[in-house]
Amino acid sequence: MWNRIVVSDQNRGVYGALVHEHLRQRRALFYERLGWDIPHSEHIEQDQYDRAETIYILIERGGQVEGYARLLPTSARVSYGAMDYSYMIRDATLGLLPGIPSGILGSRRAPSASTIWEVSRLEASGKAALTALFLTIAEFLEEAGAVELLAFTRKSFATIVRGIGFEAALVGAPVDYGGKPYCAISMTWGAAERPDSSDSSESSGGPDSAPSQAEPLRLAG
């Protein structure tokens, strides 16, 4: 059964080992396998969007992290010396992230609101884990009073999230990123599919079902 975990600054010490494991998996995927030019250390991948207000959604089963996502409100701001950062999509539109075109939102202005959040650095071991991941994201955002979720990802990901019950719309025109069509996607979750009890649990207990052997589902950015 899944453990669906929301990690904030207040409880990060409790889940430190799982947070570190997801950062290790991020390095293995985004830096080692996909070859992205991103900040990393010898063991983990972290950047300027991993900070106090960052929320991590982790899907764990049998001690293994099978899904993860990073959330930030679009109202977030932080300064590193002379550099000011907010969230990834907005910073890209300001030309602060080389490699990501500044026009990814088209005519839409980058939002700055506590009701609009960004999701990035997302991976799941298969559809069941992805559904549990997005269910947990939806529940968290509802409690936070959010109404929209933004991502910069593969164009095809809109179809994937629609398949688990989310509404998804492309924002701006797709751009070439790493040789593939990427774009900003706006998501809402009023009709999000609820996984059955055999796939999802908020606490440990009961026999674990077999892990999914499907190709991992990845949301870039």
Side-chain angles (χ1 to χ4, degrees):
M1 297 177 72
W2 307 112
N3 288 314
R4 302 190 288 116
I5 303 167
V6 177
V7 182
S8 67
D9 188 48
Q10 287 70 41
N11 67 358
R12 202 163 297 174
V14 176
Y15 297 109
L18 290 177
V19 171
H20 186 274
E21 170 58 17
H22 114 273
L23 294 174
R24 186 197 66 77
Q25 290 186 20
R26 278 171 40 178
R27 186 188 191 282
L29 172 62
F30 296 108
Y31 172 68
E32 295 178 11
R33 182 168 179 177
L34 298 181
W36 290 6
D37 183 14
I38 51 178
H40 62 278
S41 68
E42 183 179 357
H43 301 292
I44 65 174
E45 182 266 308
Q46 261 183 318
D47 63 18
Q48 63 268 39
Y49 308 109
D50 296 291
R51 51 190 197 248
E53 66 264 59
T54 303
I55 300 294
Y56 299 111
I57 307 297
L58 305 178
I59 303 301
E60 177 267 339
R61 178 166 55 180
Q64 300 297 315
V65 175
E66 296 197 21
Y68 55 81
R70 178 176 68 182
L71 299 174
L72 270 175
T74 61
S75 56
R77 299 291 186 274
V78 70
S79 295
Y80 293 109
M83 295 297 297
D84 293 325
Y85 294 100
S86 51
Y87 59 99
M88 190 186 68
I89 289 176
R90 180 177 182 271
D91 290 346
T93 67
L94 296 175
L96 299 179
L97 301 179
I100 301 180
S102 62
I104 57 175
L105 289 180
S107 61
R108 180 177 179 179
R109 186 171 181 175
S112 177
S114 61
T115 56
I116 304 175
W117 287 59
E118 177 187 68
V119 61
S120 59
R121 293 297 196 270
L122 184 154
E123 181 185 14
S125 60
K127 183 179 178 181
L130 185 75
T131 302
L133 187 66
F134 267 89
L135 168 64
T136 312
I137 290 172
E139 291 175 345
F140 169 79
L141 292 177
E142 286 175 356
E143 292 182 4
V147 297
E148 184 183 11
L149 183 65
L150 295 175
F152 176 66
T153 183
R154 301 189 317 272
K155 180 181 177 182
S156 60
F157 203 82
T159 302
I160 294 173
V161 296
R162 290 185 193 118
I164 59 175
F166 271 58
E167 296 295 327
L170 305 188
V171 182
V175 299
D176 181 84
Y177 185 69
K180 297 181 179 179
Y182 275 63
C183 61
I185 295 177
S186 169
M187 293 170 277
T188 56
W189 51 88
E193 175 185 328
R194 295 317 193 235
D196 63 44
S197 59
S198 66
D199 286 334
S200 178
S201 173
E202 293 191 5
S203 60
S204 299
D208 291 343
S209 57
S212 170
Q213 298 302 312
E215 176 68 16
L217 301 168
R218 304 175 181 113
L219 190 154

mmCIF file of all heavy atoms in Angstrom, residues 157-183:
data_model
loop_
_atom_site.group_PDB
_atom_site.id
_atom_site.type_symbol
_atom_site.label_atom_id
_atom_site.label_comp_id
_atom_site.label_asym_id
_atom_site.label_seq_id
_atom_site.Cartn_x
_atom_site.Cartn_y
_atom_site.Cartn_z
ATOM 1 N N PHE A 157 2.539 15.445 -21.688
ATOM 2 C CA PHE A 157 2.132 15.217 -20.305
ATOM 3 C C PHE A 157 0.710 15.691 -20.052
ATOM 4 O O PHE A 157 0.036 15.195 -19.147
ATOM 5 C CB PHE A 157 3.102 15.902 -19.338
ATOM 6 C CG PHE A 157 3.096 15.292 -17.965
ATOM 7 C CD1 PHE A 157 3.837 14.158 -17.712
ATOM 8 C CD2 PHE A 157 2.328 15.833 -16.940
ATOM 9 C CE1 PHE A 157 3.823 13.569 -16.448
ATOM 10 C CE2 PHE A 157 2.320 15.259 -15.685
ATOM 11 C CZ PHE A 157 3.068 14.124 -15.437
ATOM 12 N N ALA A 158 0.226 16.641 -20.841
ATOM 13 C CA ALA A 158 -1.166 17.088 -20.691
ATOM 14 C C ALA A 158 -2.125 15.918 -20.883
ATOM 15 O O ALA A 158 -3.104 15.769 -20.139
ATOM 16 C CB ALA A 158 -1.469 18.203 -21.686
ATOM 17 N N THR A 159 -1.846 15.070 -21.862
ATOM 18 C CA THR A 159 -2.692 13.900 -22.094
ATOM 19 C C THR A 159 -2.621 12.932 -20.926
ATOM 20 O O THR A 159 -3.632 12.341 -20.523
ATOM 21 C CB THR A 159 -2.264 13.191 -23.398
ATOM 22 O OG1 THR A 159 -2.358 14.113 -24.482
ATOM 23 C CG2 THR A 159 -3.129 11.980 -23.671
ATOM 24 N N ILE A 160 -1.439 12.761 -20.358
ATOM 25 C CA ILE A 160 -1.266 11.839 -19.236
ATOM 26 C C ILE A 160 -2.086 12.289 -18.036
ATOM 27 O O ILE A 160 -2.806 11.491 -17.416
ATOM 28 C CB ILE A 160 0.225 11.715 -18.867
ATOM 29 C CG1 ILE A 160 0.994 11.043 -20.000
ATOM 30 C CG2 ILE A 160 0.402 10.936 -17.565
ATOM 31 C CD1 ILE A 160 2.494 11.030 -19.810
ATOM 32 N N VAL A 161 -2.012 13.569 -17.674
ATOM 33 C CA VAL A 161 -2.741 14.019 -16.479
ATOM 34 C C VAL A 161 -4.244 14.054 -16.727
ATOM 35 O O VAL A 161 -5.033 13.837 -15.790
ATOM 36 C CB VAL A 161 -2.225 15.380 -15.967
ATOM 37 C CG1 VAL A 161 -0.790 15.261 -15.501
ATOM 38 C CG2 VAL A 161 -2.363 16.473 -17.002
ATOM 39 N N ARG A 162 -4.664 14.293 -17.973
ATOM 40 C CA ARG A 162 -6.094 14.184 -18.272
ATOM 41 C C ARG A 162 -6.571 12.746 -18.050
ATOM 42 O O ARG A 162 -7.706 12.517 -17.627
ATOM 43 C CB ARG A 162 -6.372 14.610 -19.710
ATOM 44 C CG ARG A 162 -6.208 16.102 -19.974
ATOM 45 C CD ARG A 162 -6.621 16.449 -21.398
ATOM 46 N NE ARG A 162 -6.196 17.795 -21.765
ATOM 47 C CZ ARG A 162 -5.349 18.072 -22.748
ATOM 48 N NH1 ARG A 162 -4.826 17.095 -23.487
ATOM 49 N NH2 ARG A 162 -5.014 19.326 -23.006
ATOM 50 N N GLY A 163 -5.688 11.791 -18.330
ATOM 51 C CA GLY A 163 -6.041 10.391 -18.166
ATOM 52 C C GLY A 163 -6.261 9.977 -16.728
ATOM 53 O O GLY A 163 -6.859 8.923 -16.471
ATOM 54 N N ILE A 164 -5.790 10.765 -15.764
ATOM 55 C CA ILE A 164 -6.033 10.456 -14.353
ATOM 56 C C ILE A 164 -7.029 11.426 -13.746
ATOM 57 O O ILE A 164 -7.159 11.497 -12.526
ATOM 58 C CB ILE A 164 -4.729 10.438 -13.537
ATOM 59 C CG1 ILE A 164 -4.002 11.779 -13.609
ATOM 60 C CG2 ILE A 164 -3.816 9.315 -14.008
ATOM 61 C CD1 ILE A 164 -2.770 11.839 -12.709
ATOM 62 N N GLY A 165 -7.734 12.189 -14.595
ATOM 63 C CA GLY A 165 -8.846 12.983 -14.100
ATOM 64 C C GLY A 165 -8.597 14.460 -13.930
ATOM 65 O O GLY A 165 -9.500 15.187 -13.506
ATOM 66 N N PHE A 166 -7.416 14.947 -14.235
ATOM 67 C CA PHE A 166 -7.141 16.378 -14.155
ATOM 68 C C PHE A 166 -7.540 17.052 -15.465
ATOM 69 O O PHE A 166 -7.497 16.436 -16.530
ATOM 70 C CB PHE A 166 -5.655 16.638 -13.904
ATOM 71 C CG PHE A 166 -5.269 16.683 -12.456
ATOM 72 C CD1 PHE A 166 -5.500 15.604 -11.621
ATOM 73 C CD2 PHE A 166 -4.659 17.807 -11.922
ATOM 74 C CE1 PHE A 166 -5.142 15.645 -10.295
ATOM 75 C CE2 PHE A 166 -4.289 17.857 -10.596
ATOM 76 C CZ PHE A 166 -4.530 16.777 -9.773
ATOM 77 N N GLU A 167 -7.906 18.321 -15.372
ATOM 78 C CA GLU A 167 -8.037 19.149 -16.554
ATOM 79 C C GLU A 167 -6.650 19.738 -16.856
ATOM 80 O O GLU A 167 -5.916 20.103 -15.933
ATOM 81 C CB GLU A 167 -9.038 20.282 -16.329
ATOM 82 C CG GLU A 167 -10.470 19.799 -16.083
ATOM 83 C CD GLU A 167 -11.062 19.102 -17.295
ATOM 84 O OE1 GLU A 167 -10.719 19.488 -18.429
ATOM 85 O OE2 GLU A 167 -11.865 18.169 -17.108
ATOM 86 N N ALA A 168 -6.303 19.817 -18.124
ATOM 87 C CA ALA A 168 -4.987 20.339 -18.500
ATOM 88 C C ALA A 168 -5.099 21.105 -19.810
ATOM 89 O O ALA A 168 -5.727 20.635 -20.760
ATOM 90 C CB ALA A 168 -3.981 19.203 -18.650
ATOM 91 N N ALA A 169 -4.503 22.292 -19.837
ATOM 92 C CA ALA A 169 -4.520 23.125 -21.031
ATOM 93 C C ALA A 169 -3.126 23.660 -21.292
ATOM 94 O O ALA A 169 -2.399 24.026 -20.358
ATOM 95 C CB ALA A 169 -5.507 24.287 -20.864
ATOM 96 N N LEU A 170 -2.736 23.703 -22.561
ATOM 97 C CA LEU A 170 -1.434 24.255 -22.927
ATOM 98 C C LEU A 170 -1.468 25.766 -22.792
ATOM 99 O O LEU A 170 -2.459 26.417 -23.106
ATOM 100 C CB LEU A 170 -1.068 23.870 -24.354
ATOM 101 C CG LEU A 170 -1.074 22.384 -24.712
ATOM 102 C CD1 LEU A 170 -0.484 22.193 -26.107
ATOM 103 C CD2 LEU A 170 -0.329 21.551 -23.685
ATOM 104 N N VAL A 171 -0.367 26.325 -22.304
ATOM 105 C CA VAL A 171 -0.226 27.772 -22.178
ATOM 106 C C VAL A 171 0.928 28.189 -23.079
ATOM 107 O O VAL A 171 2.063 27.758 -22.889
ATOM 108 C CB VAL A 171 0.070 28.189 -20.724
ATOM 109 C CG1 VAL A 171 0.174 29.711 -20.617
ATOM 110 C CG2 VAL A 171 -1.006 27.656 -19.783
ATOM 111 N N GLY A 172 0.662 29.042 -24.052
ATOM 112 C CA GLY A 172 1.720 29.408 -24.979
ATOM 113 C C GLY A 172 1.994 28.288 -25.965
ATOM 114 O O GLY A 172 1.446 27.187 -25.880
ATOM 115 N N ALA A 173 2.860 28.552 -26.911
ATOM 116 C CA ALA A 173 3.198 27.572 -27.944
ATOM 117 C C ALA A 173 4.304 26.641 -27.458
ATOM 118 O O ALA A 173 5.179 27.048 -26.692
ATOM 119 C CB ALA A 173 3.648 28.294 -29.213
ATOM 120 N N PRO A 174 4.289 25.375 -27.882
ATOM 121 C CA PRO A 174 5.380 24.465 -27.531
ATOM 122 C C PRO A 174 6.720 24.982 -28.056
ATOM 123 O O PRO A 174 6.778 25.644 -29.088
ATOM 124 C CB PRO A 174 4.984 23.156 -28.216
ATOM 125 C CG PRO A 174 3.503 23.247 -28.389
ATOM 126 C CD PRO A 174 3.217 24.703 -28.637
ATOM 127 N N VAL A 175 7.777 24.681 -27.317
ATOM 128 C CA VAL A 175 9.124 25.078 -27.703
ATOM 129 C C VAL A 175 10.009 23.837 -27.733
ATOM 130 O O VAL A 175 9.690 22.814 -27.137
ATOM 131 C CB VAL A 175 9.714 26.119 -26.727
ATOM 132 C CG1 VAL A 175 8.867 27.383 -26.710
ATOM 133 C CG2 VAL A 175 9.830 25.540 -25.310
ATOM 134 N N ASP A 176 11.118 23.939 -28.451
ATOM 135 C CA ASP A 176 12.080 22.835 -28.464
ATOM 136 C C ASP A 176 12.956 22.921 -27.225
ATOM 137 O O ASP A 176 13.577 23.942 -26.949
ATOM 138 C CB ASP A 176 12.953 22.900 -29.711
ATOM 139 C CG ASP A 176 13.944 21.744 -29.748
ATOM 140 O OD1 ASP A 176 13.551 20.661 -30.195
ATOM 141 O OD2 ASP A 176 15.101 21.931 -29.311
ATOM 142 N N TYR A 177 12.965 21.847 -26.449
ATOM 143 C CA TYR A 177 13.787 21.802 -25.236
ATOM 144 C C TYR A 177 14.417 20.419 -25.170
ATOM 145 O O TYR A 177 13.732 19.422 -24.982
ATOM 146 C CB TYR A 177 12.916 22.067 -24.002
ATOM 147 C CG TYR A 177 13.688 22.155 -22.691
ATOM 148 C CD1 TYR A 177 14.530 23.225 -22.435
ATOM 149 C CD2 TYR A 177 13.562 21.169 -21.716
ATOM 150 C CE1 TYR A 177 15.227 23.317 -21.244
ATOM 151 C CE2 TYR A 177 14.259 21.248 -20.526
ATOM 152 C CZ TYR A 177 15.090 22.321 -20.287
ATOM 153 O OH TYR A 177 15.785 22.407 -19.115
ATOM 154 N N GLY A 178 15.723 20.369 -25.384
ATOM 155 C CA GLY A 178 16.403 19.082 -25.398
ATOM 156 C C GLY A 178 15.974 18.202 -26.549
ATOM 157 O O GLY A 178 16.012 16.974 -26.452
ATOM 158 N N GLY A 179 15.550 18.831 -27.662
ATOM 159 C CA GLY A 179 15.151 18.061 -28.826
ATOM 160 C C GLY A 179 13.734 17.535 -28.784
ATOM 161 O O GLY A 179 13.324 16.777 -29.670
ATOM 162 N N LYS A 180 12.934 17.933 -27.770
ATOM 163 C CA LYS A 180 11.559 17.472 -27.645
ATOM 164 C C LYS A 180 10.640 18.668 -27.434
ATOM 165 O O LYS A 180 11.071 19.706 -26.942
ATOM 166 C CB LYS A 180 11.429 16.487 -26.472
ATOM 167 C CG LYS A 180 12.229 15.211 -26.651
ATOM 168 C CD LYS A 180 12.045 14.269 -25.475
ATOM 169 C CE LYS A 180 12.841 12.979 -25.665
ATOM 170 N NZ LYS A 180 12.683 12.056 -24.505
ATOM 171 N N PRO A 181 9.347 18.523 -27.806
ATOM 172 C CA PRO A 181 8.414 19.638 -27.612
ATOM 173 C C PRO A 181 8.006 19.772 -26.148
ATOM 174 O O PRO A 181 7.433 18.846 -25.560
ATOM 175 C CB PRO A 181 7.224 19.257 -28.496
ATOM 176 C CG PRO A 181 7.273 17.768 -28.599
ATOM 177 C CD PRO A 181 8.731 17.400 -28.538
ATOM 178 N N TYR A 182 8.325 20.907 -25.566
ATOM 179 C CA TYR A 182 7.965 21.221 -24.187
ATOM 180 C C TYR A 182 7.058 22.447 -24.191
ATOM 181 O O TYR A 182 7.091 23.261 -25.119
ATOM 182 C CB TYR A 182 9.210 21.529 -23.361
ATOM 183 C CG TYR A 182 9.906 20.318 -22.797
ATOM 184 C CD1 TYR A 182 10.462 19.347 -23.636
ATOM 185 C CD2 TYR A 182 10.021 20.136 -21.430
ATOM 186 C CE1 TYR A 182 11.115 18.246 -23.117
ATOM 187 C CE2 TYR A 182 10.676 19.029 -20.898
ATOM 188 C CZ TYR A 182 11.217 18.083 -21.748
ATOM 189 O OH TYR A 182 11.853 16.987 -21.234
ATOM 190 N N CYS A 183 6.270 22.573 -23.135
ATOM 191 C CA CYS A 183 5.419 23.754 -23.033
ATOM 192 C C CYS A 183 4.973 23.932 -21.590
ATOM 193 O O CYS A 183 5.118 23.035 -20.752
ATOM 194 C CB CYS A 183 4.203 23.635 -23.947
ATOM 195 S SG CYS A 183 3.156 22.236 -23.560
#
